[in-house]
Amino acid sequence: MSVSVPGNATAGAQAGGGGHGAAAGGATSSVDHAVVNKMLSHYLLIVLGAVSGALLIWRVTTVLVRYVRTVTCLHNDQQRYFAKPSHNYSWFQKNILYAPIFSKRHNREFQISSALNVGTLPSRLQLFFLLAYLGTNVAFCVMTIDFSGPLGQVAALIRNRTGYLAVVNMVPLFLMAGRNNPLINLLGISFDTFNLLHRWFGRIVMLESVAHTVAWLVGNASKNGWSAAFNTAITVKFLMWGFISTCAMIALCIQASSIFRHAYYETFKIAHIALAILAVLGLWYHLDLKKLPQLKYLYAVCALWIFDRAARFLRVGYRNIGAGGTKTLVEALPGGACRVTVSMARPWDFRPGQHAYLYMPSIGFWQSHPFTVAWSDEVEQLDGEKGLPMDRHDVLYQKKTSVSFIIRGRTGFTGALYSRAAANPDGKLVTRCLVEGPYRGSHQLHSYGTVMLFAGGVGVTQAVPHVRDLVAGYSNGTVAARKVIMVWVIQTPEHLEWIRPWMTEILAMEKRREVLKIMLFVSRPRSTKEIHSPSSTVQMFPGRPNIDTLLGMEMENQIGTMAVTVCGPGALSDEVRRAVRNKQYNGAVDFVEEAFSW
């Protein structure tokens, strides 16, 4: 991306640009606009800082409210006060916080074919922020510029302004791309949301870079002609590197479009990193050759990228090296899924909703893919040579954490993993796996008196840890939960095998019957004989659930504030979201959607 912003009247002439600085209207005018460019760039960062500050206040307030609610409800089985909705807050949640752009569609993808789709829609609140930020950038690009002046002068001013803003926008662009983005935990915003913002910020940077390059070409061509302008752009080193950077940014946005990203994800990922490096490298030379002041923002961009890569490397090393390393068992399951159990080299503090990135060199050498941690156990690894543990260090040394994932085999990495495991006679594969994580868990649900968890297919991996956590907390008296309902939609009963060992353990937990109800919906049963309910607390039904009806039934006897979570196909998520919005005035109910769009 060609994003130079000359700060004086001679910069353009030195670059062979045909009078860049002179066209700006003299030395005094140039200095004034350089100050304005710097000021507006600072304002852009202030705008982002103000939004982050507001979100931080919201985050702190929410945490405090949930803490007070948890403490208040620990020994309160009715929790009537917290079940009452606030009219104003319910309106805000229904029409702003949880609202899709239009009536219903948000997470359901626009499918062109089984392999191609054009992505999903942002929420109403996300769209408002994106439009406001885009509008701010457009306004800053044209502010204080007199468009009645000579073409060369106007082009030079636009060139300088758009170049400055493009470089500044690269700082939040790279911050949002990182897995170790500190704002994820600080503001309580999911990586999925930051991923969405990253894509749109990238498009803004690309548009400003193109505007910067076109403005330079127009200004130069107005004096020397288009042929001379293009020739100068590719022969003068300073301009050539900027032109390369702009081309790389355009290529980034094209190959990052949903159609290419979903159809060829592994290829997209490698190409995306390579093009990003090329864009930054070209910009670095572009700015450094003229010692332009915008180089300081590029220092920040590089620092953010290095920090994220170093943090990832350290996570992988810490979690997988030492104490015999990690050991991995892959089991092929009915329904084209596999259960991956990793015995970790070091213990980790497991929380519901956490996810990790898995590296399996034998399946995909350079690839890492995110998966929700479905289960975690602590296993004692006794070593006969060391004898009995004598101190805390020995206890920790002998303590092993095993984490399990359910992975549905589709195409690429997941398809190859399932095929390798299913090809073995016993359907099991022992391989090497490196785990990068854990990364932030979802919202903790301890403060809710009623919790309803909807899951579709492998989305049950998000629900199961919460169920175990809440049932254990109810038994110990450490959570507000008095009703926990898990609704799982599966295609065939054989999918129950995915989580059978874990559900057996949950169903044997103390006081489970007092708090937990499980509802299984089989959308494609082969026979009605397959549908049978083991007990009143574990029920099985044919077909798909009526979300509105189920939610209404539970809200009639709601205890405390209700949390409704969903993880699964986009159509299910949108249906649950719609039902929760429609019930906002019937009781205090919060909505949590777990999704990972890529």
Side-chain angles (χ1 to χ4, degrees):
M1 120 193 67
S2 176
V3 284
S4 71
V5 189
N8 55 65
T10 62
Q14 291 172 348
H20 284 34
T28 302
S29 176
S30 175
V31 171
D32 290 343
H33 279 286
V35 172
V36 171
N37 292 342
K38 183 176 181 180
M39 179 183 67
L40 291 177
S41 298
H42 288 171
Y43 283 168
L44 205 58
L45 295 177
I46 290 171
V47 167
L48 292 174
V51 172
S52 299
L55 291 173
L56 181 60
I57 293 173
W58 174 270
R59 166 76 164 163
V60 171
T61 303
T62 302
V63 170
L64 288 175
V65 168
R66 289 175 179 171
Y67 175 76
V68 171
R69 190 167 64 208
T70 302
V71 174
T72 305
C73 296
L74 286 179
H75 304 291
N76 182 353
D77 291 335
Q78 302 301 320
Q79 304 176 25
R80 290 192 179 93
Y81 174 80
F82 294 102
K84 298 177 181 178
S86 162
H87 181 83
N88 292 334
Y89 189 60
S90 294
W91 181 92
F92 173 72
Q93 291 193 130
K94 179 178 180 178
N95 297 288
I96 305 295
L97 191 60
Y98 302 149
I101 295 177
F102 302 111
S103 60
K104 177 180 176 181
R105 192 162 195 157
H106 167 59
N107 203 36
R108 183 183 175 189
E109 296 173 331
F110 288 89
Q111 204 79 27
I112 296 177
S113 69
S114 59
L116 297 177
N117 71 74
V118 292
T120 60
L121 293 173
S123 68
R124 192 173 296 174
L125 185 60
Q126 290 168 346
L127 179 65
F128 174 78
F129 170 76
L130 290 171
L131 289 177
Y133 192 72
L134 176 62
T136 301
N137 273 269
V138 172
F140 281 9
C141 285
V142 300
M143 192 177 293
T144 74
I145 295 178
D146 182 8
F147 286 90
S148 64
L151 179 60
Q153 177 180 337
V154 174
L157 294 175
I158 293 177
R159 180 201 69 218
N160 294 354
R161 184 71 56 76
T162 53
Y164 216 127
L165 295 177
V167 178
V168 171
N169 274 315
M170 288 183 68
V171 177
L173 172 68
F174 274 72
L175 175 64
M176 294 172 181
R179 298 176 185 176
N180 295 280
N181 177 1
L183 296 181
I184 293 176
N185 289 321
L186 186 64
L187 304 182
I189 297 176
S190 67
F191 177 78
D192 184 63
T193 298
F194 275 115
N195 202 12
L196 169 77
L197 297 177
H198 167 73
R199 293 195 293 270
W200 283 100
F201 270 61
R203 290 162 186 149
I204 291 173
V205 171
M206 184 271 292
L207 291 174
E208 289 173 338
S209 302
V210 170
H212 173 76
T213 303
V214 170
W216 181 88
L217 288 171
V218 169
N220 192 281
S222 66
K223 291 184 178 295
N224 305 314
W226 286 100
S227 178
F230 279 108
N231 184 65
T232 302
I234 61 176
T235 55
V236 177
K237 197 173 182 180
F238 158 68
L239 298 171
M240 179 193 69
W241 281 113
F243 191 71
I244 290 173
S245 185
T246 296
C247 292
M249 190 61 71
I250 295 172
L252 272 168
C253 287
I254 293 174
Q255 65 96 213
S257 62
S258 182
I259 292 178
F260 295 108
R261 195 171 68 247
H262 286 81
Y264 311 102
Y265 180 70
E266 283 84 6
T267 304
F268 149 77
K269 203 171 179 183
I270 296 172
H272 200 70
I273 294 173
L275 287 170
I277 292 173
L278 179 60
V280 172
L281 189 64
L283 178 59
W284 184 285
Y285 283 119
H286 182 62
L287 298 174
D288 188 57
L289 285 171
K290 293 297 178 183
K291 305 300 179 186
L292 296 176
Q294 295 76 33
L295 194 60
K296 63 185 177 184
Y297 296 111
L298 206 56
Y299 292 154
V301 168
C302 294
L304 288 170
W305 189 85
I306 292 171
F307 165 77
D308 183 65
R309 292 287 161 171
R312 289 167 59 178
F313 179 80
L314 291 174
R315 279 180 185 267
V316 171
Y318 178 77
R319 293 295 177 190
N320 299 274
I321 298 175
T326 58
K327 299 176 178 61
T328 306
L329 173 65
V330 183
E331 303 170 84
L333 302 173
C338 52
R339 182 165 50 234
V340 178
T341 303
V342 185
S343 178
M344 301 297 299
R346 300 176 188 272
W348 104 23
D349 183 20
F350 174 71
R351 295 181 181 181
Q354 286 180 338
H355 68 276
Y357 291 80
L358 302 186
Y359 299 77
M360 292 189 180
S362 62
I363 306 297
F365 185 69
W366 291 106
Q367 300 175 29
S368 65
H369 294 260
F371 300 101
T372 300
V373 182
W375 195 260
S376 178
D377 269 328
E378 300 293 338
V379 181
E380 297 293 337
Q381 300 289 323
L382 296 179
D383 189 333
E385 295 182 3
K386 288 182 66 69
L388 293 174
M390 301 301 294
D391 54 26
R392 182 175 179 273
H393 179 270
D394 286 344
V395 171
L396 291 176
Y397 179 85
Q398 294 182 358
K399 194 176 183 181
K400 281 277 190 179
T401 299
S402 70
V403 292
S404 299
F405 308 83
I406 299 296
I407 301 174
R408 187 78 180 266
R410 301 192 185 277
T411 59
F413 174 87
T414 58
L417 179 64
Y418 175 77
S419 297
R420 285 280 298 276
N424 293 327
D426 59 353
K428 296 181 179 180
L429 170 69
V430 177
T431 185
R432 181 65 185 271
C433 176
L434 300 178
V435 180
E436 178 194 330
Y439 286 98
R440 174 182 178 266
S442 62
H443 301 71
Q444 296 304 303
L445 306 176
H446 295 176
S447 68
Y448 295 95
T450 304
V451 179
M452 200 165 188
L453 304 113
F454 289 90
V458 292
V460 73
T461 56
Q462 183 267 344
V464 168
H466 280 297
V467 169
R468 180 173 70 165
D469 180 55
L470 293 172
V471 172
Y474 173 80
S475 178
N476 298 330
T478 56
V479 299
R482 298 298 184 270
K483 291 175 63 180
V484 180
I485 307 98
M486 187 179 87
V487 181
W488 186 21
V489 185
I490 54 179
Q491 293 179 348
T492 65
E494 64 183 8
H495 292 177
L496 296 172
E497 292 298 326
W498 297 354
I499 61 170
R500 185 177 297 279
W502 307 328
M503 289 310 300
T504 300
E505 186 172 328
I506 288 175
L507 294 176
M509 293 176 69
E510 186 178 356
K511 299 184 179 180
R512 184 269 305 176
R513 293 180 180 274
E514 299 177 19
V515 65
L516 176 64
K517 179 167 67 174
I518 298 174
M519 306 175 77
L520 305 170
F521 288 83
V522 184
S523 61
R524 301 176 188 173
R526 290 185 293 261
S527 165
T528 55
K529 295 180 180 179
E530 294 181 324
I531 309 300
H532 62 279
S533 301
S535 68
S536 60
T537 57
V538 180
Q539 300 175 320
M540 187 179 291
F541 307 91
R544 299 181 183 276
N546 186 314
I547 308 298
D548 267 319
T549 301
L550 292 178
L551 187 58
M553 290 171 54
E554 297 304 330
M555 291 188 72
E556 287 180 0
N557 301 301
Q558 176 178 337
I559 298 176
T561 303
M562 177 185 246
V564 177
T565 76
V566 61
C567 184
L572 175 65
S573 296
D574 289 352
E575 191 64 35
V576 174
R577 177 186 292 269
R578 184 191 62 80
V580 170
R581 291 180 64 230
N582 289 340
K583 302 291 185 183
Q584 279 299 308
Y585 297 109
N586 295 8
V589 53
D590 291 346
F591 174 71
V592 179
E593 180 183 46
E594 288 296 325
F596 192 93
S597 59
W598 40 271

